[in-house]
Amino acid sequence: MREILGRKLKRDIVSPIGLTIIPAETILSEQHLQLIANHKADRQSIFLYPDKMEHRKNQVNEIVKQSEELFHSIKHTSEIPVKDLTTKLVPQLREFVNNTNVYELLETLKYQDDYTYRHNIAVGAIATLIGNWLNLDEDELSSLTLAGTMHDVGKLNIPSEILNKPGKLTVEEFDLIKSHTIIGYDLLKESFGQNSNVSLVALQHHEKGNGKGYPYGIRKSKIHYHSKIVMVADVYHAMSSKRSYHEVIPFYEVINHMRASAYGEMDPKILSVFHTNMIRRLIGQQVELLDGTICKVVYVYPYEQDAIFQLENGTFLDSSKDHQIHIKEVFI
């Protein structure tokens, strides 16, 4: 049922005895879903306005399917299908990013049942967004999209039961997972060269500016610029997705965590551009607050720490006056 959160009702929802539970034109929140369950309303009678996201989701699902097929080929042959990647997958993904609102894009990239392949595409897409915001030229953008899409190729050689282990990893298991960076680099350098951004991003996307990353603990001056961009994209999508070892982390927590990472871990300029664009583009978006309230962002304060929200009844909430107001999820 959660897939209808944030959608608008076309007709009233009524109980089995004919009582109107939720009126038409309501935007559905968690409380509404609970009402539907409590009253045992017929779920087949829930009529929603057409979902403008359906076409977008089909588009991205097709790109994810292509990614899965290409990665299966790499796993079985240890060869990188460069032509298919550069002439088909990357142009499709770039076109999709360029023609999709940022929050529509992020909604289509949410975890379903294919995290591994969807994550590759998501990181390529989010890295492309950041590249657009950084005003990279066309050739560099295409190269960045490819690097982001291939950043985790080394995980093909890591057992899935370790990648998806719900409990704490042993030291040996974590060392094995960390090795995906070197495995990916060794795979990609045969096709792209050892100093290519594509190869280096696979190797460096877990390196941190303060030298506390892996596999080599190098510092910011030695980390490729594209690796720094892909790290931001990788962390955002991983934290925003449901995994075997954690639930979806609320939007405000992800943003706050990433803002804090500017002090040592991530590149502060890249992170600032990402954060500024994400927050400013919240204006006009439907969001769910931590308490389940559905409302619209109508204003973001200049320093982007707080916002004003409009409720369905026309009243307003101001997070600069109530610091318990936080965005849990952004809807389309």
Side-chain angles (χ1 to χ4, degrees):
M1 287 287 285
R2 283 191 59 82
E3 69 274 7
I4 66 173
L5 275 175
R7 300 279 301 279
K8 184 183 285 190
L9 287 175
K10 196 169 185 178
R11 304 179 190 174
D12 294 345
I13 294 180
V14 298
S15 71
I17 61 173
L19 175 69
T20 297
I21 303 170
I22 309 171
E25 303 298 316
T26 298
I27 296 173
L28 295 169
S29 68
E30 291 275 9
Q31 292 96 322
H32 295 130
L33 300 192
Q34 193 59 53
L35 273 174
I36 293 169
N38 291 345
H39 287 272
K40 297 182 172 59
D42 178 12
R43 296 184 182 186
Q44 300 301 315
S45 66
I46 300 175
F47 288 90
L48 305 167
Y49 281 103
D51 184 2
K52 67 177 182 178
M53 287 298 296
E54 203 60 40
H55 177 62
R56 296 290 191 202
K57 288 177 180 178
N58 289 337
Q59 283 182 299
V60 84
N61 286 342
E62 182 57 37
I63 296 173
V64 171
K65 183 180 177 183
Q66 286 184 47
S67 169
E68 183 174 358
E69 291 171 353
L70 291 173
F71 272 67
H72 281 165
S73 171
I74 295 169
K75 185 172 184 177
H76 288 107
T77 66
S78 295
E79 295 180 2
I80 307 297
V82 176
K83 184 176 180 180
D84 286 336
L85 287 166
T86 57
T87 64
K88 296 179 182 178
L89 187 65
V90 167
Q92 270 190 281
L93 185 54
R94 282 204 56 205
E95 182 181 6
F96 182 73
V97 171
N98 290 339
N99 291 298
T100 309
N101 165 283
V102 57
Y103 285 104
E104 287 182 1
L105 176 69
L106 295 172
E107 178 68 24
T108 64
L109 294 168
K110 282 184 177 177
Y111 167 79
Q112 294 183 0
D113 56 358
D114 51 4
Y115 177 82
T116 299
Y117 304 106
R118 190 167 294 267
H119 179 65
N120 294 325
I121 293 302
V123 171
I126 297 169
T128 304
L129 268 179
I130 299 171
N132 281 331
W133 295 335
L134 289 167
N135 297 313
L136 302 186
D137 65 36
E138 289 296 305
D139 289 342
E140 190 173 3
L141 269 174
S142 291
S143 185
L144 173 62
T145 305
L146 176 58
T149 303
M150 300 302 292
H151 79 289
D152 263 351
V153 68
K155 284 186 176 178
L156 290 173
N157 290 348
I158 308 296
S160 59
E161 60 268 23
I162 293 178
L163 288 175
N164 300 313
K165 183 178 178 180
K168 186 177 180 180
L169 295 169
T170 66
V171 173
E172 293 77 15
E173 288 169 337
F174 188 46
D175 284 342
L176 184 58
I177 284 183
K178 288 193 291 185
S179 72
H180 81 275
T181 54
I182 297 172
I183 294 169
Y185 175 74
D186 287 341
L187 268 172
L188 293 167
K189 72 179 183 180
E190 298 301 320
S191 298
F192 297 100
Q194 61 183 10
N195 293 318
S196 160
N197 73 308
V198 180
S199 307
L200 290 174
V201 165
L203 181 67
Q204 298 176 344
H205 66 277
H206 286 290
E207 298 285 8
K208 298 177 180 179
N210 57 15
K212 295 182 179 180
Y214 65 83
Y216 297 124
I218 59 176
R219 291 183 175 270
K220 55 186 178 182
S221 60
K222 296 183 178 180
I223 303 172
H224 193 284
Y225 189 53
H226 288 188
S227 299
K228 297 174 183 179
I229 295 172
V230 168
M231 182 188 188
V232 173
D234 185 26
V235 170
Y236 179 83
H237 188 254
M239 291 187 71
S240 303
S241 300
K242 182 177 179 180
R243 305 295 308 280
S244 57
Y245 45 85
H246 72 67
E247 292 296 318
V248 174
I249 297 173
F251 177 83
Y252 85 97
E253 285 189 26
V254 176
I255 293 298
N256 287 346
H257 170 84
M258 296 185 73
R259 184 190 290 127
S261 296
Y263 302 100
E265 295 185 11
M266 300 184 193
D267 183 283
K269 179 184 176 182
I270 294 169
L271 202 55
S272 175
V273 167
F274 174 74
H275 176 264
T276 298
N277 279 277
M278 290 288 288
I279 297 302
R280 289 180 180 172
R281 282 169 169 76
L282 280 171
I283 296 174
Q285 295 295 145
Q286 294 283 348
V287 299
E288 179 186 2
L289 304 181
L290 282 184
D291 64 359
T293 300
I294 301 293
C295 50
K296 181 186 288 187
V297 180
V298 294
Y299 180 76
V300 173
Y301 283 94
Y303 294 104
E304 302 161 353
Q305 299 289 334
D306 292 294
I308 296 175
F309 306 88
Q310 184 175 21
L311 278 64
E312 295 171 20
N313 62 9
T315 59
F316 296 89
L317 297 174
D318 187 340
S319 67
S320 71
K321 298 176 181 177
D322 182 350
H323 297 301
Q324 301 305 309
I325 297 174
H326 296 294
I327 297 173
K328 178 181 178 182
E329 188 173 358
V330 182
F331 291 124
I332 300 302

